[in-house]
């Protein structure tokens, strides 16, 4: 399971601990331009391939563009560990972020009475150490190697520069998109911010299919740039265009609201940039918009009746 177990404790718990890194802050708004200095640890093609395989499923890296991902691969360095070696110790300052390539690692937490408990075991995959770097808190747990292993590490400053700056830029970009979607104006500021963090970029070339009629729904899409063509299969099995959705519109919400298969197909008209919201985030974040989306179902059904002639000629979408 590729998750972290470094749960951050209450601030007061470490009120008397060393705070040398607490003064080190990173404000993305003050770092609009790169300073040209990047951390690069040379790697062979074989090492780079192994590292790429290790990090490709880490959720924090999904929003990075190609250049940022290249910076991540450049900045990470390989670290071999031996059985019994502690990689991080609870309450120490955070120095590196770690990705496991191979090996087994145990995670321990010591309570206030000094009793140490095993809370998790990583088995040849996973990552750890990011929360202390993101929030400038001491390590919340200890991690010990129980076999020989290989880790990829990234120093604190590089981690914060790449990840925090990327998250900031992504949020600002998607906040601008959210402002252009009328339905989302009903969201409170914190809801809009959470939605911006949850969106993932997707791009499609002219004619490429985005949604297939009859498929199960995995999420919905907001149109950043370009136009989407919506089609539906008619009586004779012929695909008929029923609508076009420009920038500022959205598609795919129907199946999520009705919990039924996709009622239509969607294709890119020219190059298209979309922001994708998966089904889990949809259910968690767009509750305030649900009534409006349900009302839009009526408009959609009326449009289908006009095109296909009667309700008998269309699949029930309710």
């Amino acid at each position: 399971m590729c998750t972290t177990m470094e749960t951050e404790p209450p601030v007061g718990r470490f009120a008397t601990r060393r705070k040398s890194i607490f003064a080190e802050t990173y404000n993305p708004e003050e770092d609009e331009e790169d300073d040209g200095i990047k951390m690069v640890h040379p790697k062979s093609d074989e090492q780079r391939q192994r590292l790429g395989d290790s990090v490709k499923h880490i959720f924090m890296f999904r929003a990075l563009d190609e250049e940022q991902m290249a910076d991540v691969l450049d900045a990470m360095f390989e670290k071999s560990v031996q059985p019994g070696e502690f990689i991080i110790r609870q309450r120490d300052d955070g120095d590196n972020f770690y990705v496991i390539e191979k090996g087994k690692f145990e995670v321990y937490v010591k309570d206030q009475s000094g009793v140490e408990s095993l809370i998790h075991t990583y088995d040849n995959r996973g990552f750890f150490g990011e929360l202390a770097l993101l929030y400038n808190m001491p390590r919340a747990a200890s991690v010990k190697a129980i076999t020989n292993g290989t880790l990829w590490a990234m120093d604190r400053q590089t981690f914060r520069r790449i990840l925090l700056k990327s998250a900031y830029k992504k949020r600002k970009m998607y906040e601008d998109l959210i402002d252009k979607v009328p339905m989302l104006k009903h969201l409170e500021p914190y809801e809009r911010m959470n939605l911006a963090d949850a969106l993932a970029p997707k791009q499609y070339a002219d004619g490429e299919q985005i949604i297939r009629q009859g498929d199960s729904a995995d999420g919905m899409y907001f149109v950043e740039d370009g136009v989407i063509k919506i089609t539906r299969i008619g009586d004779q099995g012929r695909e008929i265009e029923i609508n076009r959705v420009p920038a500022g519109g959205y598609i795919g919400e129907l199946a999520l609201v009705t919990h039924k298969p996709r009622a239509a197909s969607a294709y890119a008209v020219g190059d298209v940039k979309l922001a994708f919201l998966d089904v889990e985030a949809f259910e968690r974040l767009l509750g305030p918009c649900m009534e409006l989306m349900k009302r839009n179902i009526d408009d959609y059904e009326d449009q289908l009746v006009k095109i296909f002639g009667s309700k008998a000629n269309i699949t029930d979408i309710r």
Side-chain angles (χ1 to χ4, degrees):
M1 184 174 181
C2 190
T3 57
T4 179
M5 298 300 297
E6 190 179 341
T7 304
E8 292 298 330
V11 174
R13 179 176 173 183
F14 295 113
T16 62
R17 301 297 301 177
R18 185 159 49 106
K19 301 182 178 64
S20 62
I21 65 170
F22 289 0
E24 179 194 294
T25 59
Y26 174 76
N27 185 351
E29 290 191 273
E30 297 175 355
D31 187 18
E32 290 300 321
E33 300 294 335
D34 289 330
D35 57 13
I37 301 174
K38 296 182 180 180
M39 181 63 68
V40 178
H41 293 277
K43 299 173 183 68
S44 66
D45 291 341
E46 183 267 342
Q47 284 179 308
R48 201 170 183 87
Q49 178 63 48
R50 288 193 286 113
L51 174 55
D53 290 342
S54 297
V55 304
K56 64 184 178 182
H57 297 302
I58 297 179
F59 72 89
M60 291 183 298
F61 295 154
R62 289 176 187 168
L64 301 183
D65 58 31
E66 290 185 8
E67 182 178 356
Q68 291 168 328
M69 198 63 214
D71 288 345
V72 167
L73 298 184
D74 285 340
M76 299 194 82
F77 56 93
E78 192 171 8
K79 176 179 174 64
S80 297
V81 297
Q82 307 297 320
E85 180 178 345
F86 277 88
I87 293 84
I88 63 176
R89 290 185 181 271
Q90 186 173 344
R91 301 188 180 184
D92 280 357
D93 287 348
D95 53 356
N96 295 316
F97 164 69
Y98 297 96
V99 176
I100 299 168
E101 180 179 318
K102 63 181 180 180
K104 292 187 178 181
F105 301 82
E106 292 180 339
V107 184
Y108 295 89
V109 170
K110 185 179 295 185
D111 63 22
Q112 292 183 347
S113 64
V115 177
E116 193 169 58
S117 302
L118 173 66
I119 64 169
H120 184 68
T121 300
Y122 291 105
D123 189 354
N124 287 290
R125 63 180 302 180
F127 59 93
F128 55 86
E130 79 282 4
L131 296 183
L133 307 189
L134 285 172
Y135 300 110
N136 275 345
M137 294 294 294
R139 297 295 195 188
S142 299
V143 178
K144 182 176 72 173
I146 58 174
T147 66
N148 290 318
T150 302
L151 298 168
W152 292 98
M154 181 191 297
D155 71 86
R156 178 177 71 245
Q157 289 181 322
T158 303
F159 178 86
R160 288 171 63 78
R161 176 178 61 81
I162 295 175
L163 271 297
L164 293 188
K165 188 171 185 179
S166 169
Y168 171 77
K169 286 186 173 180
K170 174 176 177 283
R171 178 180 290 177
K172 296 301 290 184
M173 177 180 70
Y174 285 140
E175 283 179 344
D176 291 341
L177 170 66
I178 290 168
D179 283 340
K180 298 174 184 176
V181 180
M183 175 185 72
L184 301 179
K185 293 186 182 296
H186 295 79
L187 297 178
E188 296 294 331
Y190 76 93
E191 293 171 329
R192 292 154 66 91
M193 190 164 59
N194 287 338
L195 177 59
D197 288 341
L199 292 171
K202 287 185 177 289
Q203 297 190 22
Y204 295 85
D206 183 38
E208 193 172 354
Q209 189 169 53
I210 302 163
I211 289 174
R212 185 188 303 275
Q213 183 176 338
D215 282 356
S216 58
D218 57 350
M220 70 176 295
Y221 301 81
F222 297 93
V223 185
E224 284 188 71
D225 188 39
V227 175
I228 303 298
K229 178 175 68 175
I230 308 298
T231 68
R232 188 175 171 85
I233 297 174
D235 293 347
Q236 308 302 319
R238 186 167 60 91
E239 203 165 14
I240 300 172
E241 180 176 336
I242 61 174
N243 195 18
R244 293 203 171 199
V245 181
Y250 52 91
I251 61 172
E253 83 290 355
L254 183 65
L256 300 181
V257 173
T258 63
H259 302 289
K260 293 188 176 183
R262 297 293 194 188
S265 297
Y267 298 87
V269 179
D271 292 335
V272 171
K273 289 178 61 178
L274 303 175
F276 177 70
L277 183 70
D278 67 46
V279 60
E280 182 180 342
F282 173 87
E283 293 174 350
R284 176 168 53 91
L285 299 173
L286 291 189
C289 303
M290 199 63 70
E291 285 305 316
L292 181 57
M293 284 187 281
K294 287 179 179 177
R295 290 200 298 270
N296 288 344
I297 292 177
D298 294 330
D299 296 337
Y300 176 73
E301 188 177 54
D302 290 343
Q303 186 177 15
L304 290 181
V305 170
K306 290 178 183 177
I307 294 171
F308 292 99
S310 71
K311 289 187 178 181
N313 291 332
I314 64 174
T315 302
D316 181 18
I317 64 170
R318 290 191 175 279

